[in-house]
Structures are given as structure tokens and as C-alpha cells.
Amino acid sequence: PLSLSMAWERGRSAFLSLIGAVYVIAFASFFLQAPGLYGHDGIVPASRTVTRGVADLPSALLWRLRPPTIGVDPFLDLAAAAGCLLSLAAAWGFGCTPLMVALLVLYQTLNLIGQPFLPFQWDIL
């Protein structure tokens, strides 16, 4: 029989793996849709969102920390690709607090810059 602490640890690991899988889907979906929605020739280019002051909000920390040579489109691609890789690690069972915080910060940054499409019900994690 499993002890209570072993059962709790298995449940915690399964939960974090499932959250990681949800993040994989979210970041992969963003990565695939970003050029058509937020790209230079997209429906609502993210460069407009950034110039409207969104980048000054506290949750856009990653945007403000990026090297100035990285533009909006490459930043969104890098953030989504990094999110995919980190969330795959979480889905494979490497979910720890720093990794989950990194995923949250990455997604919140994309969510903030990716307005007006991401605030819909089905896109909110």
C-alpha cells in the first residue's frame, strides 16, 4: 500500500504534468497563430499593441528585458518556442516551482502583448 506522502507526491506529479501538457497546447497554438494574428502583416500587428503603452505594464517584464535589437515578431516567436520547450519539460515530469513560474510569466507576457485575441474564454489558462 502507498503511504500518504507517496500518494500525494504521485498526485502532485500527475497534476503538474497535466498543467505542462495544457501549456504545450497553449504555446504551440500561439506559435502557429501568431504570424496571422500578430505578425507584421497580421490582423492586428503586435507592434501596435506594444506602442499603445501595453509594454509599460508590470506584467510585460520580459518585453522590457529583451535586447532592443529583437523586434516584436521575433520576440513573440522566441517566447512561444521557449514556452513550448519548457512546458514539454513540465509535461515530462520535470515540473518544479521555478519552471512553473517561468511558464506563467511567459504566457502572461504573450497574453498581454497578444491582445485583443487572447482574452477570450478559450484562450485563458
Side-chain angles (χ1 to χ4, degrees), residues 72-117:
V72 178
D73 293 348
F75 174 78
L76 293 176
D77 289 342
L78 286 171
C84 283
L85 293 174
L86 292 176
S87 57
L88 280 172
W92 285 331
F94 297 104
C96 60
T97 303
L99 178 62
M100 300 311 275
V101 168
L103 288 170
L104 179 64
V105 169
L106 274 170
Y107 192 78
Q108 286 301 89
T109 300
L110 294 178
N111 190 33
L112 184 67
I113 294 174
Q115 295 178 5
F117 297 105

Side-chain angles (χ1 to χ4, degrees), residues 31-62:
F31 186 79
L32 294 174
Q33 295 178 43
L37 295 176
Y38 313 110
H40 178 69
D41 296 322
I43 296 172
V44 179
S47 57
R48 285 192 216 164
T49 305
V50 171
T51 57
R52 284 193 311 230
V54 169
D56 297 330
L57 297 173
S59 53
L61 177 66
L62 289 180

Side-chain angles (χ1 to χ4, degrees), residues 61-72 74-75 78:
L61 177 66
L62 289 180
W63 172 254
R64 290 192 306 276
L65 292 176
R66 77 177 180 11
T69 56
I70 297 178
V72 178
F75 174 78
L78 286 171

